[in-house]
Amino acid sequence: MTDSPSPPVALVIALTLAVGGLVVSGVTGLLGTFSGALVGAGTNPDAAVPVLVGVALAASEVGFVVVGYAFRRTDDGRDLVVDWIGRPGARDAALIVGTTAVLVAFNRIAFAVGSLLGIDPATAVSTPEELSVAVLAFVIPAMLFAVGPAEEYLFRGVIQGYLRQSFSARGAIGWSAVLFTLVHLPNLIANPESGVVSIPVWLGIGLVLGWLYERTATLLVPVAVHGLYNVSVIWLLFAELGIV
């Protein structure tokens, strides 16, 4: 087993992984967008847009997996153990359901406060012409089977697991949550003021997911919560707009 890195070195490496994941996900997302456009070529726009949104979203998440997997092939990351399944039980199911409900409530409260302040939050699908039931049909599986697993693999399984070698549990959870928030900041480019609401939400989600991983030592629980949370808030957005 390699020696644990000093906290500053571990943070620099963790930051590099987070930024690297963001950059590579941008590349895979572009490739996914191009592929989705090819798949949708020759079809009517109503059919092409849902395919494009779903494929691009899933493809962008591949970058996080690539970076995490590559790091685990290096000397620094080869000792990381990422347990995806563990031993699921009633406690894990209760944690998934209860934590998802708490995070969705937190999201609703934060967005309600933002509404009172006249701030529109950043959302995963925000262009009006993109919103339809067909888009939702592609977004839901992407959230459950691409976004949740990919982001949790990198940020909890790899980054938090790596930081845990140099920090306490609280330190590793906290820093991984900060880095998780950092990679979501590009979502604010079109609407910077929404960060007043979105940044605390992202940070809170990162802290809770990190706590779940530390508590259960299995990636299944934070993956499930992450995916179900995303599906819930997207569904609520579509419901509020009268689409579903």
Side-chain angles (χ1 to χ4, degrees):
M1 179 177 291
T2 58
D3 294 333
S4 298
S6 66
V9 170
L11 274 179
V12 170
I13 292 175
L15 175 61
T16 302
L17 290 172
V19 174
L22 179 61
V23 172
V24 178
S25 71
V27 174
T28 57
L30 287 174
L31 293 175
T33 300
F34 179 71
S35 300
L38 289 179
V39 172
T43 65
N44 63 70
D46 290 340
V49 169
V51 172
L52 184 59
V53 172
V55 171
L57 180 59
S60 66
E61 298 299 316
V62 173
F64 296 115
V65 177
V66 168
V67 170
Y69 179 82
F71 178 69
R72 292 183 66 199
R73 305 277 72 77
T74 68
D75 289 340
D76 288 330
R78 67 184 178 189
D79 293 325
L80 286 175
V81 176
V82 180
D83 188 345
W84 281 89
I85 304 299
R87 296 182 178 179
R91 184 195 68 170
D92 292 334
L95 276 174
I96 290 170
V97 173
T99 308
T100 300
V102 168
L103 287 179
V104 172
F106 174 50
N107 174 280
R108 295 293 85 194
I109 293 170
F111 283 12
V113 171
S115 180
L116 291 175
L117 297 174
I119 298 172
D120 294 325
T123 58
V125 182
S126 56
T127 306
E129 58 266 24
E130 290 180 349
L131 305 181
S132 68
V133 174
V135 167
L136 188 64
F138 280 88
V139 168
I140 286 178
M143 290 293 181
L144 291 173
F145 302 113
V147 177
E151 294 187 7
E152 291 310 298
Y153 173 67
L154 179 61
F155 287 95
R156 254 54 67 178
V158 176
I159 290 179
Q160 184 173 316
Y162 178 69
L163 291 173
R164 192 68 174 86
Q165 299 174 3
S166 304
F167 291 87
S168 65
R170 290 182 179 180
I173 292 169
W175 282 114
S176 65
V178 169
L179 295 174
F180 177 75
T181 302
L182 177 66
V183 300
H184 285 81
L185 294 182
N187 293 327
L188 304 177
I189 292 175
N191 188 18
E193 64 272 15
S194 67
V196 173
V197 174
S198 298
I199 289 176
V201 169
W202 292 328
L203 183 60
I205 293 169
L207 290 170
V208 170
L209 294 174
W211 172 76
L212 286 171
Y213 185 55
E214 176 69 26
R215 179 180 176 86
T216 64
T218 174
L219 215 55
L220 174 65
V221 175
V223 163
V225 172
H226 193 155
L228 290 172
Y229 166 82
N230 283 353
V231 167
S232 298
V233 297
I234 292 295
W235 185 278
L236 288 172
L237 170 64
F238 278 58
E240 290 169 359
L241 294 173
I243 297 172
V244 294

